[in-house]
């Protein structure tokens, strides 16, 4: 698409896929048998996604190049000119670095779907097309970034060892994955975080009580963190008082590629007086080491009361976890140890908060006795996951999450903002979903995205109701009592109000004793 490689055969294959998709792959979508029609329609869409998803990512993703140690965007996407205007654009007048046959083939697929239109030599996206093409490439990039893993799916599911290099982070195209997660989830989620969380912390709270700044661990390319920082600077009282109350903006990640991208993204903040951008290598599973790195960074925190200075600490900051909690490395591995952790958490958590969460998300009352409550909780955590040594029972994954959150508790004084993805619950226990629009139920849920990516790469994506219950056991509650969601664009089916089917949640969690 960006003419980095000249492969005429690939263009010919793409044109063939477009033609086959426009013929609906020869499947019986007009059959007189209703069940045949109903089965054929999602197959047509699924095949189109498989064949053309990569093409849409190629169109929508900016061009990156490695320059020294940095991975830098060096050109806008091929879609950018079409997304930026409703005017007609001549394919032959596009920049020379773009492959016109490639773009023409993609538009041949968009035209019959009313996502684009043609007038003579001119092309443009329709209003619906700009909406759809603004979100589809990053969503598709999330799955496509795992193509290396899909190629070895048998070894991953029934083999042994680590054939794709999960431990070395070589199982995924990390730059593509960062592009996808920033555009498909944390980008739309940033708006909710700004309006529902940052406004409170950096505008409503007295300046003396506000965090020293904001820190995003697992920062990706830094785009989401930059959005949050820009909001604080332009829309809050803190942004107008930087001379007295400087703002620290920290991007942290375990992998080198995202850190290089984040340095590039945060570079403009260096020119703003009163803003202290910092990029730190850190592991989300080890907040103590992260805290030590901050204290050794040389950044000072000025006490708002007496003006004394000391090294910046982790608990001075408001933290964001963007789709990262489920990506932690498993540290609890044995069922008996997991049961002990859950039992201890039950004995020490805020019981009223736990009962409230159980009532809201499991439609029942939690027994008052510890033994009966423990039995009910262990039954609730019923989703298994993939680990380096085999299947991970749900109780083990939940106990590991409790242990993880409790390691972060000393540093959560101002709050942990979690934008988290969730796997749907099992069908037989899930709420009914309205099928009056004739969607098959599976079409409304993100099972391929969840199980195709997250399960095989050892990610621990809990259903929303189990996730909330685990956080309550760990001693956390939403700072304002609210958990937000609904970051999907309007054209995508939404199940955000269903605790057992919900895909995204956004909450700022603080210790329940606050």
């Amino acid at each position: 698409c960006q003419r980095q490689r000249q492969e005429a055969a690939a263009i010919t294959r793409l044109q063939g896929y477009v033609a086959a998709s426009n013929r609906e792959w020869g499947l019986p979508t007009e059959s007189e048998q209703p069940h045949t029609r109903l089965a054929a329609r999602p197959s047509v869409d699924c095949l189109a996604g498989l064949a053309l998803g990569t093409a849409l990512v190629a169109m929508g993703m900016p061009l990156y190049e490695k320059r020294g140690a940095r991975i830098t965007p060096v050109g806008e996407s091929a879609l950018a000119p079409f997304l930026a205007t409703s005017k007609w654009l001549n394919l032959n007048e596009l920049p020379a670095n773009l492959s016109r046959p490639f773009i023409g083939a993609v538009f041949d697929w968009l035209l019959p779907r009313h996502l684009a239109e043609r007038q003579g030599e001119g092309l443009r996206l329709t209003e619906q097309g700009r909406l759809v093409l603004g979100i589809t490439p990053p969503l598709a990039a999330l799955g496509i970034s795992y193509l290396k893993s899909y190629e070895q799916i048998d070894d991953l599911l029934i083999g042994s060892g680590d054939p794709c290099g999960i431990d070395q982070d070589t199982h995924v195209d990390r730059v593509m994955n960062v592009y996808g997660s920033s555009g498909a989830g944390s980008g739309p989620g940033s708006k909710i975080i700004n309006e529902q969380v940052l406004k409170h912390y950096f505008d409503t709270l007295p300046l003396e009580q506000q965090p020293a700044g904001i820190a995003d661990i697992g920062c990706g390319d830094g785009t989401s963190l930059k959005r949050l920082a820009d909001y604080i600077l332009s829309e809050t009282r803190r942004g107008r008082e930087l001379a007295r109350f400087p703002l620290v903006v920290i991007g942290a990640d375990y992998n080198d590629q995202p850190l290089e991208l984040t340095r590039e993204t945060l570079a403009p903040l260096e020119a703003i007086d009163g803003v202290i951008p910092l990029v730190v290598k850190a592991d989300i599973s080890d907040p103590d080491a992260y805290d030590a790195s901050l204290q050794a960074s040389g950044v000072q925190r000025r006490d708002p009361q007496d003006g004394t200075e000391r090294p910046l600490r982790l608990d001075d900051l408001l933290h964001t976890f963007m789709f990262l909690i489920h990506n932690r490395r498993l540290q609890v591995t044995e069922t008996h140890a997991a049961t002990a952790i859950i039992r201890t958490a039950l004995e020490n958590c805020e019981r009223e908060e736990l009962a409230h969460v159980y009532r809201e998300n499991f439609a029942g009352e939690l027994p008052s006795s510890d033994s009966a409550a423990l039995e009910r909780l262990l039954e609730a955590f019923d989703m298994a996951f993939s680990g380096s040594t085999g299947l991970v029972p749900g109780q083990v994954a939940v106990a590991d999450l409790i242990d993880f959150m409790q390691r972060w508790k000393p540093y959560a004084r101002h709050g942990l903002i979690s934008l988290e993805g969730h796997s749907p619950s099992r069908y037989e226990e899930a709420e009914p979903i309205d099928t009056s629009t004739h969607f098959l139920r599976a079409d409304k849920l993100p099972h391929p995205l969840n199980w195709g990516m997250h399960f095989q790469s050892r990610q621990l994506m809990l259903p929303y109701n189990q996730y909330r219950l685990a956080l309550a056991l760990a001693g956390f509650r939403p700072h304002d009592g609210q958990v937000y969601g609904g970051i999907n664009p309007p054209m995508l089916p939404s199940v955000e109000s269903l605790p057992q089917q919900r895909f995204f949640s956004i909450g700022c969690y603080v210790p329940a004793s606050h």
Side-chain angles (χ1 to χ4, degrees):
C1 182
Q2 298 269 5
R3 298 187 65 180
Q4 298 295 293
R5 297 165 63 180
Q6 300 295 321
E7 295 188 19
I11 299 292
T12 301
R13 285 197 301 274
L14 175 59
Q15 292 168 337
Y17 290 143
V18 169
S21 181
N22 288 346
R23 294 193 303 270
E24 298 195 322
W25 312 94
L27 291 169
T29 55
E30 304 299 325
S31 169
E32 294 182 1
Q33 301 297 322
H35 293 295
T36 301
R37 290 199 309 271
L38 196 59
R41 173 50 52 193
S43 299
V44 165
D45 295 338
C46 182
L47 285 169
L50 290 171
L52 293 157
T54 50
L56 294 177
V57 174
M59 285 275 287
M61 187 172 171
L63 182 64
Y64 291 95
E65 285 186 0
K66 190 166 186 177
R67 296 176 172 178
R70 292 193 175 193
I71 298 171
T72 307
V74 295
E76 67 178 6
S77 74
L79 267 180
F82 296 97
L83 291 171
T85 182
S86 60
K87 296 179 180 178
W88 298 100
L89 299 177
N90 191 316
L91 190 63
N92 294 319
E93 296 175 1
L94 290 176
N97 64 294
L98 300 179
S99 171
R100 292 160 190 170
F102 189 106
I103 295 171
V106 173
F107 267 86
D108 285 342
W109 185 75
L110 298 174
L111 287 166
R113 287 157 181 78
H114 308 293
L115 299 174
E117 49 194 1
R118 186 194 305 274
Q119 185 180 81
E121 296 298 318
L123 292 169
R124 69 180 179 184
L125 297 176
T126 62
E127 182 179 355
Q128 180 77 351
R130 286 197 298 277
L131 188 64
V132 171
L133 272 297
I135 187 67
T136 301
L139 274 172
L142 290 173
I144 291 167
S145 65
Y146 283 83
L147 278 180
K148 179 179 178 181
S149 298
Y150 296 141
E151 290 173 348
Q152 301 185 61
I153 191 70
D154 288 350
D155 290 335
L156 281 167
L157 293 181
I158 61 175
S160 60
D162 186 9
C164 293
I166 295 172
D167 291 337
Q168 292 76 39
D169 197 52
T170 58
H171 64 297
V172 61
D173 182 328
R174 184 56 65 188
V175 175
M176 184 183 292
N177 188 264
V178 165
Y179 156 74
S181 60
S182 296
S186 47
S190 296
K191 186 174 187 295
I192 296 175
I193 292 172
N194 287 340
E195 296 172 354
Q196 305 297 339
V197 181
L198 298 191
K199 177 139 184 91
H200 166 74
Y201 277 97
F202 293 101
D203 195 65
T204 304
L205 280 181
L207 291 164
E208 295 80 5
Q209 298 177 23
Q210 294 182 8
I214 188 165
D216 183 25
I217 188 163
C219 54
D221 64 355
T223 299
S224 297
L225 175 60
K226 179 69 162 45
R227 289 192 190 105
L228 302 181
D230 286 344
Y231 176 84
I232 296 170
L233 295 174
S234 63
E235 303 294 332
T236 70
R237 189 155 54 109
R238 178 62 166 275
R240 299 186 292 272
E241 296 284 352
L242 295 176
R244 291 195 302 142
F245 296 92
L247 182 72
V248 180
V249 179
I250 296 177
D253 205 289
Y254 186 70
N255 300 300
D256 292 332
Q257 284 186 342
L259 291 176
E260 295 301 333
L261 290 170
T262 297
R263 286 191 181 92
E264 194 80 24
T265 302
L266 298 186
L269 298 181
E270 296 174 0
I272 303 175
D273 290 338
V275 178
I276 306 169
L278 186 65
V279 177
V280 178
K281 186 162 187 173
D283 181 352
I284 190 173
S285 299
D286 193 355
D288 291 343
Y290 184 11
D291 180 50
S293 296
L294 284 187
Q295 294 194 51
S297 69
V299 177
Q300 297 290 301
R301 165 68 159 157
R302 187 171 61 218
D303 189 289
Q305 304 298 328
D306 59 20
T308 59
E309 291 191 348
R310 57 165 174 78
L312 182 74
R313 295 195 294 255
L314 208 56
D315 69 335
D316 293 321
L317 302 160
L318 178 65
H319 299 277
T320 57
F321 299 160
M322 302 279 197
F323 298 114
L324 200 65
I325 289 179
H326 64 262
N327 202 24
R328 68 192 185 277
R329 292 199 305 276
L330 194 70
Q331 297 194 8
V332 177
T333 58
E334 300 294 336
T335 303
H336 69 275
T339 301
I341 289 172
I342 295 171
R343 180 186 296 110
T344 301
L346 174 63
E347 294 169 354
N348 292 288
C349 71
E350 293 287 333
R351 200 59 169 262
E352 186 176 338
E353 173 70 11
L354 181 69
H356 166 73
V357 170
Y358 189 88
R359 188 181 309 115
E360 289 289 314
N361 293 282
F362 289 85
E365 294 294 331
L366 193 66
S368 56
S369 76
D370 283 356
S371 59
L374 178 62
E375 182 178 355
R376 188 74 59 83
L377 291 171
L378 294 176
E379 291 173 354
F381 301 130
D382 62 358
M383 181 168 286
F385 300 89
S386 173
S388 59
T389 59
L391 209 62
V392 177
Q395 297 96 326
V396 170
V398 166
D400 185 79
L401 176 57
I402 293 170
D403 181 64
F404 166 84
M405 291 297 293
Q406 289 177 340
R407 290 199 302 275
W408 271 91
K409 188 176 285 188
Y411 307 111
R413 177 164 59 99
H414 292 291
L416 307 175
I417 303 172
S418 170
L419 198 171
E420 180 65 352
H422 306 287
S423 291
S425 295
R426 298 183 301 179
Y427 274 140
E428 63 267 24
E429 296 179 355
E431 309 97 324
I433 295 176
D434 178 22
T435 57
S436 61
T437 57
H438 303 293
F439 275 107
L440 290 181
R441 181 158 61 170
D443 287 330
K444 301 191 98 175
L445 298 175
H447 283 102
L449 191 66
N450 286 8
W451 299 113
M453 293 163 41
H454 298 99
F455 181 85
Q456 68 183 26
S457 56
R458 305 178 193 160
Q459 298 182 55
L460 309 168
M461 215 171 188
L462 282 168
Y464 172 73
N465 55 347
Q466 297 181 31
Y467 171 78
R468 287 283 285 114
L469 197 60
L471 292 193
L473 278 167
F476 283 84
R477 62 172 177 81
H479 87 102
D480 57 355
Q482 298 295 316
V483 177
Y484 305 92
I487 68 176
N488 287 333
M491 88 290 293
L492 294 181
S494 177
V495 291
E496 295 305 303
S497 63
L498 304 178
Q500 293 159 312
Q501 304 289 20
R502 187 174 185 161
F503 191 25
F504 292 122
S505 71
I506 301 174
C508 181
Y509 297 94
V510 296
S513 57
H514 269 33

